Amino acid sequence: MRVGKIFRETKETKIDVEINLDGGGKTSIDTGIGFFNHMLNLFAAHGQFDLNVKCNGDLEVDGHHSVEDIGIALGTAIKNALGDKRGINRYGTFFLPMDESLALVSLDISGRPFLVFDAGELAPMIGNFDTELTEEFLRAFAFNAGLTLHVKILYGKNSHHKVEAIFKALGHALRIATEYDSRNSGVPSTKGIL
């Protein structure tokens, strides 16, 4: 089993994260932000990852520190769980329709962090979740997991549907990329290292 565990504590947040990349989608998520809990549950369910996240953050300020720091911790846990990355597919791409919205997530477990994010216009808030934090989470996640990550909403109107489509597609794309390729037991790079 490929498991990554992280405990991260700052003056702003205290976070416990555990992910099993070979799980079945079991979750225990408590970020203090209802909509974000929902998004992380969807990410894990669609990726078939077992995911536990517990965050005590300074929500009296706003959700920024909690969401970004969870991205840091989750990305680090995934990087740790992947180890030397031998035998994985490395690349994953997924289109996901959510009612009137269509999301594309494409990623490379390259060790070269990068984020391209284009979700179009979003409503400022979904419940108690500041939608600007979607990009902040994805950036922290990609940079700490070592992913080149492209996220695009091709079209859509409803902000809830757009953000939900992103998190579901991210789970699917990451599952594809982290699955083993039975034809290759080495590192999937001509450089011999990722």
Side-chain angles (χ1 to χ4, degrees):
M1 291 289 193
R2 297 173 295 166
V3 175
K5 297 180 184 181
I6 293 293
F7 175 74
R8 186 175 192 275
E9 186 170 5
T10 71
K11 292 181 179 178
E12 298 163 340
T13 60
K14 186 164 133 183
I15 299 170
D16 264 309
V17 169
E18 181 177 350
I19 189 164
N20 178 353
L21 298 176
D22 303 309
K26 296 177 186 172
T27 64
S28 174
I29 312 286
D30 181 9
T31 69
I33 304 168
F35 182 77
F36 192 46
N37 290 347
H38 181 43
M39 294 302 100
L40 293 176
N41 271 301
L42 292 171
F43 161 76
H46 286 264
Q48 288 296 289
F49 311 126
D50 290 345
L51 178 61
N52 298 318
V53 177
K54 174 66 177 164
C55 176
N56 290 313
D58 57 355
L59 296 179
E60 70 280 2
V61 175
D62 70 5
H64 190 113
H65 299 140
S66 293
V67 172
E68 183 177 34
D69 288 4
I70 289 167
I72 291 168
L74 181 56
T76 304
I78 287 170
K79 185 176 184 178
N80 292 347
L82 283 169
D84 65 7
K85 305 176 188 80
R86 286 187 178 281
I88 64 168
N89 287 324
R90 177 178 167 178
Y91 298 97
T93 297
F94 205 83
F95 287 88
L96 194 131
M98 177 72 192
D99 295 346
E100 86 299 338
S101 298
L102 182 63
L104 161 67
V105 172
S106 190
L107 61 86
D108 175 10
I109 304 174
S110 62
R112 296 186 308 277
F114 201 86
L115 174 67
V116 176
F117 179 80
D118 180 6
E121 191 174 330
L122 295 171
M125 300 293 290
I126 303 172
N128 62 345
F129 179 76
D130 178 350
T131 58
E132 285 186 342
L133 299 181
T134 307
E135 184 173 4
E136 295 303 319
F137 168 79
L138 292 169
R139 181 176 295 107
F141 175 76
F143 274 67
N144 287 275
L147 306 178
T148 300
L149 177 60
H150 292 251
V151 176
K152 183 170 180 63
I153 295 293
L154 299 171
Y155 46 80
K157 293 181 180 177
N158 183 287
S159 295
H160 186 128
H161 296 164
K162 289 180 180 182
V163 176
E164 184 167 329
I166 288 168
F167 276 85
K168 287 177 175 178
L170 179 62
H172 280 282
L174 189 64
R175 181 177 67 186
I176 292 165
T178 59
E179 284 178 339
Y180 287 113
D181 180 348
S182 61
R183 298 165 298 173
N184 182 12
S185 61
V187 175
S189 170
T190 55
K191 295 179 178 68
I193 189 170
L194 285 172

